[in-house]
């Protein structure tokens, strides 16, 4: 897994990249649909309950951010999180 962080406009983009089993185009469209809970087996055949992306997306959007995924089946995936930078208020 590789994690990187870059300043972008008025925010920051965090990228999480792996070289695992990837996600097919059809399954990727299902994952990005917030009304659909999707689970699949990982590289070690582990299973999840399919809530990770939905919970992450909800949390990130509540903080005025965005999340998206790019993936190729059998080549790995990249998850990107963009969050705004805000000035800390002095009390």
């Amino acid at each position: 897994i590789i994690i990187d962080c870059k300043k972008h406009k008025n925010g920051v983009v965090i990228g999480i990249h792996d070289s695992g089993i990837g996600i097919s185009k059809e399954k990727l469209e299902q994952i990005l649909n917030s009304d659909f809970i999707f689970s699949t087996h990982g590289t070690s055949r582990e299973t999840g309950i399919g809530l990770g992306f939905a919970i992450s997306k909800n949390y990130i959007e509540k903080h005025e951010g965005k999340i998206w995924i790019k993936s190729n089946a059998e080549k790995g995936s990249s998850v990107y999180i963009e969050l705004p930078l805000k000035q800390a208020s002095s009390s």
Side-chain angles (χ1 to χ4, degrees):
I1 294 177
I2 297 172
I3 300 172
D4 58 48
C5 183
K6 297 176 184 167
K7 190 165 193 261
H8 178 71
K9 298 182 184 178
N10 295 324
V12 63
V13 175
I14 302 163
I16 302 108
H17 317 279
D18 71 39
S19 57
I21 61 172
I23 305 167
S24 70
K25 184 176 179 177
E26 297 78 24
K27 290 181 182 176
L28 186 58
E29 290 173 5
Q30 292 174 334
I31 290 170
L32 298 174
N33 179 352
S34 62
D35 298 329
F36 186 81
I37 296 175
F38 180 79
S39 183
T40 187
H41 293 288
T43 54
S44 298
R45 305 303 298 159
E46 72 276 11
T47 59
I49 58 173
L51 293 175
F53 186 78
I55 291 169
S56 298
K57 184 174 186 271
N58 185 287
Y59 185 78
I60 290 164
E61 288 177 350
K62 286 188 184 292
H63 287 82
E64 300 173 16
K66 299 187 292 187
I67 183 171
W68 65 97
I69 304 171
K70 293 183 180 180
S71 186
N72 290 309
E74 306 301 324
K75 294 185 179 178
S77 302
S78 294
V79 176
Y80 298 93
I81 300 166
E82 183 175 357
L83 294 168
L85 292 175
K86 296 185 179 183
Q87 294 291 331
S89 60
S90 56
S91 302

